Amino acid sequence: MTGSVKQIAAVARIALLGLPSRARMSSATVLSIALATLVLLGFLAMASGFRATIAGTGSDQSAIILADGSASEFNSAIDTARLARLDNAPGIAAGKNGPLLSAESFATISAVEDGGGESSVTLRGMGPQGLAVRPLAHLAGGRMFTPGRNELVVGSALAGRYRDLKPGGSVRLAGMAWRVVGVFEAGGSAMESEVWADRKLVSQFFGSSAAVQSVRARLSDPSALAALKQYLAADTSLKLVARSERDYFAAQARNMGKLILFVGWPLGIAMAVGALAGALNTMFTSVSTRSTEIATLRILGFRGPSIFVSTMAEAVLLVLLGSGLGVALAGLFLQGRSASTIGGNLTQVMFKFDLTANDITQAVTLALIVGVLGGAVPAWRAARRPLGSAA
């Protein structure tokens, strides 16, 4: 056993010391693997960052009430006649002006970015208790909108990116000027990608005043959600369901994260196949270049398994160099970088790339699979090299 290990180590050392003579081909393989790793890590970090942003939006202290059968606010509709019946629902915290409830609707508006581009953002109409029902949110500057006035409160993520939505500025919506009177923060969550305004005005100018899309409720404590659910289920005429904000947004994050990975993994695998072709070419060239050397080693008593393992070591080393370069580039250019994508309501959601240890493990594992597949056949051919080829 010791002799075999020594043989493998000796042959592997010879193969690796010869890499500089094959620098051009080896460098091309390293770069192709680095590019495939970088692209896959980009999608994985995007999915992780988006999931973290959306999942971090919810709180166990608040509940979201939707029409029965609705998966999201986007396809929920609650007629206003049912809203008054929620005032007596159990489990809802009381404020100075009654239960902490906020009937809400939203619309899509266009805003101009600092760079001149135009994109869609969410305009959320809410009641006077809109801020109070969101324990994660607080005003970072200015004030809340005054009910009945064309005033906006903008999430900090949007205020930092859109010139139309700067504090003190104004934007034309529905043919009228709306003034930005405040900026709010919500712990870096997707909530910061919204614009808030008076719900009655949003319904009047952008939707229907006869219905809202959701109701936010501040719970007296997280365990009170069970009583609220039971109350809604008992009154079948309400046709409403309640979920904690945390659970609601966690589900939204999973769905969107799957969509991003649905695109990212096939592209990453396609690039990995290209890298595999490059690795095969490099290793076949390496074996061909070293044919006399390999056959000589066989004559000197080095066995086939030693040749096989040493050739595989060269392939794995190239893969580790390539994947390491890809990870370094991802950490340098992607980690923490701000980006935006389309959320569940077809508007922009701001988030940051989040490169996790699990993402890196997945990408490096794929690269190692490429290395093993790219090195196995050439290594097998090297191990079976005829002794006569040393001539």
Side-chain angles (χ1 to χ4, degrees), residues 1 3-13 15 290 294 297-298 301-314 375-376 378-385 387:
M1 179 65 71
S4 298
V5 172
K6 289 182 177 180
Q7 280 194 3
I8 292 172
V11 179
R13 182 172 179 271
R290 297 173 55 220
I294 292 172
L297 290 171
R298 294 289 307 280
F302 287 85
R303 298 180 179 181
S306 300
I307 305 295
F308 178 87
V309 174
S310 66
T311 306
M312 285 295 298
E314 180 178 346
W380 180 79
R381 287 187 59 180
R384 294 173 59 85
R385 175 71 60 177
L387 298 182

Side-chain angles (χ1 to χ4, degrees), residues 114-148:
D114 291 341
E118 187 173 317
S119 58
S120 298
V121 298
T122 296
L123 173 64
R124 179 179 293 277
M126 57 176 56
Q129 309 274 31
L131 182 61
V133 300
R134 289 171 165 80
L136 298 180
H138 65 275
L139 286 175
R143 59 177 176 82
M144 278 297 285
F145 58 82
T146 301

Side-chain angles (χ1 to χ4, degrees), residues 104-169:
E104 302 183 353
S105 58
F106 66 82
T108 300
I109 60 173
S110 294
V112 179
E113 301 179 17
D114 291 341
E118 187 173 317
S119 58
S120 298
V121 298
T122 296
L123 173 64
R124 179 179 293 277
M126 57 176 56
Q129 309 274 31
L131 182 61
V133 300
R134 289 171 165 80
L136 298 180
H138 65 275
L139 286 175
R143 59 177 176 82
M144 278 297 285
F145 58 82
T146 301
R149 292 185 180 179
N150 295 357
E151 295 178 343
L152 306 174
V153 179
V154 179
S156 58
L158 298 183
R161 179 165 178 167
Y162 290 85
R163 69 187 188 197
D164 281 352
L165 302 176
K166 304 296 184 186

